[in-house]
Amino acid sequence: MNFLSVLLICLASVASGNKANKHKPWIETEYQGIVMENDNTVLLNPPLFALDKDAPLHYAGEICGFKVHNGPSGPGTVQFEAVVLDRSTGEGLVRSKEPLDCESQREHSFTIQAYDCGEGPDGVNSKKSHKATVHVRVNDVNEFSPVFVERRYEASVPESRLFERIVRVEALDADCSPQYSQICFYDIITPNVPFAIDNDGNIKNTEPLDSKRQRVHTFWVTAFDCGKNRAQADAQVVVTVKPSCKPGWIGWTKRVEYTPGSGSIPLFPSLHLETCEETVWNIQATVELQTGHIGKGCDRDSYSDRSVRRLCGAVRGEVDLLPPPSPAANWTSALPTLPSSDSSLVFSFNGSSHVAVVPDAVVSSLSGDHFTLQLWMRRGGANIQSSSQSRGSRREEETIVCSTVKNDDSFSHYSLSVHGCRLSLFYWPDVSAARPVKFLWKLEQVCDSEWHHLSLSVQFPSVTLYVDGVTFDPALIHDNGAIPNPAPRQRMSIGACWEPEEETREIFNNTVPEVKYVGGYHGLLSGVTVRPGSVEPHSVVECLYACREGLDFGDLETLGSGMKVHVNPSQSVLVLEGDDIESFNRAVQQVTYRNSLRFATPGVRPLKLTTSLRCFNEESCLSLKQLEGYLVVLQPDAPQISLSGVGPHLARPAPEFESPRGVPLFPELRIVCSLSHAVNTAAQGMEGGALMSDAVAHTLDGCEVQPLGEELNAEREELLVDMDVVRERGLEIINTTAYIAITGAESISVYEDVLRSVRYRLAKGSARFERRFRLSCSEMNGRYTSNELTLEVNFLHSLDSLYHPSHLLASQQQFLHPSHHAGELSGHTLPNPHRNSVVPGAATVIIMVCVGFLVVMVILGVFRIRSIHRRSEGSRGGAKEGGNQWDDSALTIIVNPMESYESRLGTEGEEEEEEEAPESPDEGSDDQRVIIKKEARDSNARRY
C-alpha cells in the first residue's frame, strides 16, 4: 500500500469520527462477456473492479469476494463463479465451473455482487454492493464438418437440352455460429464431367447431353463450411439421360366424325399432354367449336324465330316489328338485309338513314305497361361501317327501339338504347306527369360484336333482362336531369328515335314535315317482337336459347380435385383449368360434342385447342402451339314427306265452283312423314343392306298452294281457307293471286285440317274449262320438302250453257288466244279467260257460224251413235251390263273439249270394250269395231 492510500484512509477515519466500514462496495450495473468453447475464463467488458469509499481503511475498504446469483432461467442454471484477484483494488475474475458447449447453449445471463471485508478479520459488519447483470456469449469453435442430407442424389433429364438446374444437393453443419455452420461452397471432385455446381448446390449441365453416347452420368460432390472444414463423407450424384422428349399434345385426331342421332361423343378420347417432366403449377386449355352454319344463337338452323317461340310454348300474340317486306308490311322494305343461315331476315342499320317506322295501326295494339320485348342483336354488324364513322360517334347513345303508346287516357314512352358496353331502358310511366326512370346494365355482350338474344320483360316498376337466357339485374337511375318529354302522340321507330322538337312544328296545307331522327343504331337486328300483356315466363326464355348442339363435359362427378370447367352460354367455347397433369388429362378426354337435333345439319365444324402453361420457372416454361381440326357431321337419314289422296284430276260441274263456298281442292289429303334408314340384314342371311322406312311424328313448318300457269284473276277466281282453323292454331297465312302460303311449326294433323279446308271459287259467269294447282310442304326451314302434288281441275259445262252468248264469247276468246300451257298438254290449246282482245267483226261472225255448225254435227253424231248402240245391244242379248249403257233419263249432253283428257278416257274405254265384246262373225268387221269404239268413248265422256 502506497503512501497516498494510507493518507486517504487516515483522512476518512478522521472525517468519520473513527467509525469503520461506513460505505458499501460499488460495481458496474451491466457487463458483457465472451468465453471460448475450449476455455473457461470469461473476458468481461468493462473489466470487473469493485470500489469502496472506506479505503484506505484496513478491512473496511477492501473487497473480500464476489457472489454469483442465479440467472433468469431459475436455480441451478448458474455455471459461473467470480473470484477476487486483488482485495485492495477490488479486481475480480469470472470463469465457468465446467466446459461450455455453444451448440447446446450459446448465451448465458446471471447477476453478481461484491462484498467488502467488514470491520475486522472475521468479516463482522461486512457490506455488499448492488446486483450487476452479466451477459456471457459462448464463442463457437469449428469442431464439426459438413454432412450431406442424402448420400445419393438421382435425376433424369431429356437429351439435347441445357438446364439451369438438374438437381440440388444439400449439406448441413452442426456448428452454432454462422461462420462455421454455413456451407460456403460445393465442389465436384470427379474430373471431366459435363456438369457444374454453384455455391447453393444447384447442379446443371454445361453441354447438351446425348443418351446414345452416355446414358448415365455418375460423379461425386463435396462441401466446405466457412471454417474450411470439408464434409465428412462425399455425396454421389446420378443423372440419367432420357431420349429426346417433345412436349405437347399426344393423340390429337384432326378429323372427328359424328353420326346424327349418336347423342354425345368424346372429341379427344386418347388425348394427353406431355410436359417432359417440366414442373407446371397451372394448365388451361380452351376448346372452340366454330358453328358457322348457324346464323345466330346456337340452334337457329332448325326453325325460324317464330317457330322456335311456338315450340317453346310462348304465349301467342306477339307483334313482329321487323317483318319480312310485303304489301301488308312495307315499313321494312327500305332496310338492307344480309344473308342468314336460318329463315329469319337479318336487317342492317347504318346509324343514319336506316330507320323503320312502325305504322300507327300496329302501334295501337301495343298499349300497356306490361310487355315483353325480344330481339337478336349484333353490334357493329358486317360491312356496314362507313369510313366517315368516327370513333367518337360510336360512343354516342344508339337507339334500338323508341316507342310512345297510348294507355287509356295517358301516354307512356320507352326507349331501348346501347352506349358503349351499356344497355339502358328509358321508361316514362306517364309523359304528362311522372318523371322517367332509367334501367341500366353494364354488359360485355353488348360490345363484343357477336349475336346475342335479348328478352326484356317489363312489368313496371319491375324490369327483368335475359341475355342469352341468363338473368341480369339493372341499376336504377331516377334523377335524369332536364329531359324534354315527348309530346303525346302514338308512334314507334326501330333503329333511331325522333327529335323531341319535331312535335312543336306547325303543319301547313295538311302536310307533315319531315321527321328528323337522332341516336342511330349501328349493327344488325333480327326477330324484334313485342308481346303486350303478361311477361314471358323464365322457362320459355330459357327454351328460346336452349342449345341442342355444342360442347359439353361428360361427368362432372369424376372431375379431379383442383379442376375447373366453364362453358359459355352458346356452348361453343369450353375452358378447362387445373394444376395436376394426370387429372387434367382425364378431364380433357371427357370433353364431348352433343347434338340432340333430330336432323342434324351436315357439314364441317372447325375445332381449335389452345393451351396455356404456367411453370415455377417462367423463363423455361413450355409453350404449346394451337391445334386445329374439324368435326364432320355426316348426312342424317332424310325424312320423306309424302302427299297423297288427291287427284290427279278433279272434275265438277261449273255451278259448284260458283257457289259461295266453292269446291274443296284437297278433301282427301293425307300427309305422311317417314324416315328411311339403312339396316344390317346380314343376320337374316341377306346380301348387302336394305332400306327400312319408319313413320315418325314430324312438325311441318310450311305448305304452299300455287296455281300453275297464269296467276289467279282477282276479279273472277280466288282460293279460300278456313281462317278460324288458321287462327286457332296460330299459323300465318299469305294469300295472293300467285300462291297461298301457310307457315308455322305445327303437327301434320293440323296442316291436314287446314289444307283440306282450301277451296277454289269462281265468280258467276266465269267460264273456264281447266285450272291446275300444285301443293307442296316442307319442314326444318324448307330443308326437307315433300313431293309436288299436282291437281288438274276440270269444269264440266252443260250443252245449254254453251249457247249462252257469254259462253260463246268466252269460247271465241279461248280459241283466239291460246294459253302458254300448250307445251305441257301435248300440243292442245287451253282456254285463257284473263286476256282481253279486240276481235274483228267478220272473224266473230265466222267463228259463231263454225261453232254452231260444230254443235249441230255433234248432235247428229250422238243420235247416230245411239241408234247403232241399240242395235248392238239387241244383237248381243246376254252381254254384260256396264257403264257404257245409254241413259234415257237425261237428255242433257255433257261436252268436254279437252282432247287430251278425252283421248285418255277413250283409250280406257276401248280397252274395256275389247275385253267385253265376244268374237263373232257378225261383230268382226272393221266398221263395226270402229262404231263400237266411238260408242264407248262417247259413253265414257258422258260419265264425266
Side-chain angles (χ1 to χ4, degrees):
M1 181 179 296
N2 55 20
F3 175 77
L4 181 60
S5 298
V6 173
L7 180 61
L8 290 174
I9 293 173
C10 293
L11 291 175
S13 299
V14 174
S16 60
N18 296 324
K19 184 180 179 181
N21 202 14
K22 184 179 179 180
H23 299 92
K24 296 179 180 180
W26 177 89
I27 58 176
E28 298 285 344
T29 59
E30 187 176 12
Y31 295 89
Q32 302 290 335
I34 298 174
V35 62
M36 302 299 294
E37 279 187 317
N38 56 358
D39 193 4
N40 62 348
T41 302
V42 178
L43 300 178
L44 292 180
N45 182 26
L48 181 61
F49 281 93
L51 300 178
D52 196 319
K53 291 183 180 181
D54 293 327
L57 294 178
H58 190 52
Y59 298 114
E62 296 177 351
I63 304 300
C64 283
F66 293 94
K67 186 176 182 180
V68 176
H69 298 278
N70 291 331
S73 300
T77 60
V78 177
Q79 302 177 2
F80 298 88
E81 61 181 0
V83 295
V84 179
L85 298 180
D86 189 343
R87 297 176 62 178
S88 61
T89 61
E91 182 181 1
L93 175 68
V94 177
R95 60 190 178 190
S96 62
K97 298 178 181 179
E98 57 186 24
L100 299 178
D101 188 4
C102 177
E103 285 71 37
S104 61
Q105 187 173 352
R106 188 175 180 181
E107 293 183 352
H108 299 267
S109 296
F110 53 91
T111 58
I112 188 173
Q113 277 182 316
Y115 292 83
D116 59 13
C117 295
E119 297 178 353
D122 297 331
V124 179
N125 295 326
S126 63
K127 296 183 180 295
K128 56 184 178 181
S129 69
H130 63 272
K131 291 182 179 180
T133 303
V134 180
H135 299 284
V136 178
R137 185 177 74 248
V138 182
N139 278 359
D140 186 26
V141 175
N142 193 11
E143 57 184 331
F144 295 102
S145 298
V147 177
F148 282 97
V149 176
E150 297 181 14
R151 297 296 304 273
R152 178 185 176 92
Y153 293 87
E154 295 183 359
S156 59
V157 293
E159 62 181 355
S160 304
R161 290 180 59 187
L162 289 175
F163 298 90
E164 290 297 325
R165 185 180 71 176
I166 296 176
V167 65
R168 182 177 182 270
V169 298
E170 184 181 8
L172 301 177
D173 195 302
D175 288 311
C176 66
S177 63
Q179 179 182 4
Y180 302 129
S181 64
Q182 290 184 356
I183 307 300
C184 278
F185 63 94
Y186 295 87
D187 189 21
I188 297 177
I189 60 178
T190 303
N192 301 325
V193 292
F195 299 94
I197 188 170
D198 59 14
N199 293 338
D200 295 326
N202 297 313
I203 298 176
K204 66 179 182 179
N205 57 326
T206 57
E207 62 183 44
L209 305 179
D210 188 355
S211 62
K212 296 180 181 178
R213 186 175 61 183
Q214 186 173 352
R215 181 69 182 274
V216 180
H217 294 267
T218 303
F219 53 93
W220 295 84
V221 297
T222 189
F224 292 87
D225 62 17
C226 294
K228 297 185 179 180
N229 275 1
R230 181 176 171 175
Q232 294 179 353
D234 301 327
Q236 185 185 39
V237 180
V238 179
V239 178
T240 303
V241 182
K242 299 187 300 183
S244 59
C245 174
K246 194 172 183 180
W249 291 102
I250 299 176
W252 170 261
T253 303
K254 189 172 183 179
R255 175 189 172 97
V256 180
E257 289 189 356
Y258 178 79
T259 302
S262 302
S264 298
I265 63 168
L267 291 176
F268 322 112
S270 58
L271 187 66
H272 65 278
L273 181 62
E274 176 60 58
T275 60
C276 297
E277 298 188 1
E278 178 70 30
T279 304
V280 296
W281 63 273
N282 182 267
I283 314 171
Q284 181 173 313
T286 303
V287 184
E288 297 181 57
L289 176 69
Q290 299 180 15
T291 53
H293 66 289
I294 298 176
K296 53 187 182 297
C298 58
D299 189 25
R300 302 278 80 81
D301 62 330
S302 301
Y303 295 99
S304 63
D305 293 335
R306 185 174 294 273
S307 297
V308 170
R309 281 196 289 269
R310 288 187 49 77
L311 295 175
C312 288
V315 181
R316 298 169 185 171
E318 70 272 4
V319 177
D320 196 349
L321 301 183
L322 289 179
S326 65
N330 59 356
W331 67 89
T332 59
S333 58
L335 295 178
T337 58
L338 297 180
S340 176
S341 300
D342 51 38
S343 62
S344 56
L345 283 180
V346 175
F347 294 91
S348 174
F349 293 84
N350 61 0
S352 56
S353 59
H354 296 164
V355 180
V357 181
V358 184
D360 294 341
V362 178
V363 181
S364 60
S365 62
L366 302 177
S367 62
D369 56 0
H370 291 187
F371 60 90
T372 299
L373 174 65
Q374 299 191 52
L375 56 97
W376 284 95
M377 180 187 71
R378 179 182 174 186
R379 289 287 298 283
N383 303 324
I384 65 171
Q385 296 182 359
S386 61
S387 58
S388 62
Q389 183 179 350
S390 64
R391 185 174 182 85
S393 63
R394 297 181 190 176
R395 296 176 181 174
E396 296 178 356
E397 190 171 65
E398 303 174 12
T399 303
I400 301 175
V401 180
C402 187
S403 174
T404 301
V405 297
K406 184 176 183 181
N407 303 320
D408 298 330
D409 296 332
S410 63
F411 286 85
S412 63
H413 178 87
Y414 70 87
S415 62
L416 182 67
S417 307
V418 289
H419 186 193
C421 291
R422 290 174 173 83
L423 179 75
S424 62
L425 175 69
F426 231 30
Y427 192 82
W428 280 273
D430 188 349
V431 297
S432 61
R435 295 296 296 168
V437 180
K438 188 174 185 179
F439 301 86
L440 188 64
W441 297 267
K442 186 176 181 181
L443 304 168
E444 291 296 331
Q445 294 87 337
V446 176
C447 55
D448 62 358
S449 298
E450 298 291 339
W451 277 109
H452 295 285
H453 180 260
L454 274 64
S455 178
L456 197 66
S457 295
V458 178
Q459 195 170 7
F460 191 78
S462 174
V463 175
T464 305
L465 174 67
Y466 299 94
V467 180
D468 299 336
V470 180
T471 310
F472 290 89
D473 296 327
L476 298 182
I477 302 176
H478 294 276
D479 185 9
N480 298 303
I483 301 174
N485 292 334
R489 178 183 172 184
Q490 191 164 258
R491 57 172 44 180
M492 176 180 285
S493 61
I494 311 296
C497 196
W498 58 89
E499 284 188 338
E501 293 80 4
E502 185 273 331
E503 291 288 349
T504 63
R505 299 175 184 174
E506 295 182 359
I507 302 176
F508 300 97
N509 300 324
N510 296 327
T511 60
V512 180
E514 181 181 357
V515 181
K516 291 186 178 180
Y517 293 93
V518 294
Y521 170 72
H522 293 83
L524 305 178
L525 293 177
S526 179
V528 183
T529 62
V530 172
R531 185 175 60 80
S534 59
V535 298
E536 203 76 83
H538 189 194
S539 59
V540 174
V541 177
E542 289 180 339
C543 176
L544 291 175
Y545 199 78
C547 298
R548 295 178 176 84
E549 176 185 7
L551 300 173
D552 203 353
F553 192 80
D555 188 4
L556 292 175
E557 295 182 357
T558 61
L559 196 63
S561 60
M563 291 295 303
K564 299 178 182 178
V565 179
H566 173 73
V567 184
N568 66 337
S570 61
Q571 295 187 349
S572 60
V573 178
L574 185 144
V575 180
L576 281 175
E577 186 175 359
D579 53 8
D580 180 66
I581 187 65
E582 297 296 333
S583 300
F584 195 86
N585 286 333
R586 288 194 299 269
V588 169
Q589 295 172 4
Q590 294 193 54
V591 176
T592 61
Y593 168 76
R594 178 182 56 84
N595 196 325
S596 59
L597 293 172
R598 174 179 291 177
F599 305 109
T601 303
V604 176
R605 279 81 159 153
L607 269 175
K608 290 183 180 180
L609 176 60
T610 306
T611 310
S612 174
L613 299 177
R614 300 185 67 181
C615 308
F616 290 100
N617 188 359
E618 294 293 340
E619 296 180 357
S620 63
C621 195
L622 303 176
S623 178
L624 304 181
K625 66 178 183 178
Q626 185 183 70
L627 297 179
E628 296 184 358
Y630 55 91
L631 172 74
V632 180
V633 178
L634 304 178
Q635 185 73 35
D637 297 329
Q640 299 175 356
I641 309 173
S642 176
L643 308 181
S644 60
V646 177
H649 301 281
L650 176 65
R652 293 288 186 275
E656 294 186 15
F657 291 94
E658 298 175 357
S659 63
R661 292 185 55 82
V663 175
L665 295 180
F666 317 107
E668 304 296 332
L669 176 66
R670 290 185 68 252
I671 305 177
V672 176
C673 288
S674 59
L675 188 64
S676 297
H677 56 90
V679 296
N680 187 8
T681 56
Q684 290 134 10
M686 301 173 60
E687 296 182 358
L691 284 179
M692 296 293 293
S693 180
D694 300 328
V696 293
H698 283 240
T699 300
L700 300 181
D701 58 11
C703 288
E704 182 178 281
V705 180
Q706 179 184 7
L708 296 179
E710 291 185 345
E711 297 182 4
L712 298 178
N713 189 333
E715 298 179 357
R716 297 187 178 184
E717 52 185 343
E718 63 178 340
L719 287 174
L720 305 176
V721 182
D722 192 343
M723 296 303 299
D724 293 336
V725 178
V726 175
R727 294 191 189 96
E728 180 183 356
R729 297 298 184 177
L731 299 176
E732 296 182 358
I733 184 169
I734 301 176
N735 194 350
T736 66
T737 58
Y739 63 91
I740 178 171
I742 305 168
T743 58
E746 264 299 349
S747 62
I748 291 178
S749 60
V750 171
Y751 270 93
E752 285 181 339
D753 294 340
V754 174
L755 292 175
R756 287 170 184 172
S757 69
V758 176
R759 295 172 175 269
Y760 177 64
R761 189 177 72 85
L762 285 174
K764 292 290 185 180
S766 300
R768 293 194 62 89
F769 288 95
E770 175 266 344
R771 169 62 89 174
R772 300 176 69 198
F773 295 95
R774 180 172 59 199
L775 171 64
S776 62
C777 296
S778 65
E779 67 171 321
M780 303 285 288
N781 283 339
R783 181 170 152 197
Y784 302 109
T785 58
S786 68
N787 60 308
E788 293 185 352
L789 192 62
T790 303
L791 176 65
E792 183 179 297
V793 179
N794 300 116
F795 308 89
L796 305 181
H797 299 273
S798 64
L799 184 61
D800 294 338
S801 63
L802 292 178
Y803 285 104
H804 194 277
S806 63
H807 292 288
L808 292 177
L809 183 58
S811 300
Q812 297 165 13
Q813 294 177 357
Q814 293 163 10
F815 283 107
L816 287 175
H817 306 284
S819 173
H820 65 281
H821 289 285
E824 300 180 5
L825 297 178
S826 305
H828 295 283
T829 301
L830 296 181
N832 186 354
H834 303 291
R835 300 182 180 180
N836 297 321
S837 304
V838 180
V839 182
T844 302
V845 174
I846 295 174
I847 291 174
M848 293 181 64
V849 173
C850 293
V851 171
F853 179 75
L854 177 61
V855 171
V856 173
M857 294 301 295
V858 169
I859 294 174
L860 293 177
V862 168
F863 278 103
R864 183 178 179 185
I865 293 172
R866 176 185 176 189
S867 60
I868 295 174
H869 183 70
R870 286 182 175 177
R871 288 197 303 270
S872 63
E873 285 181 349
S875 61
R876 284 193 299 268
K880 294 187 294 182
E881 295 182 359
N884 293 333
Q885 295 179 354
W886 184 266
D887 188 5
D888 293 334
S889 62
L891 296 178
T892 302
I893 301 175
I894 304 301
V895 179
N896 191 344
M898 294 185 60
E899 293 187 5
S900 61
Y901 188 39
E902 288 179 352
S903 61
R904 289 194 297 269
L905 296 176
T907 305
E908 296 173 359
E910 291 174 6
E911 294 176 354
E912 181 180 353
E913 186 66 26
E914 289 177 357
E915 292 177 359
E916 293 181 357
E919 297 181 1
S920 63
D922 296 338
E923 299 173 355
S925 63
D926 294 339
D927 295 339
Q928 193 170 0
R929 288 197 185 99
V930 172
I931 293 173
I932 293 173
K933 290 178 180 179
K934 285 184 178 180
E935 178 183 357
R937 184 174 67 246
D938 293 338
S939 178
N940 279 297
R942 279 198 311 275
R943 281 190 294 172
Y944 287 93

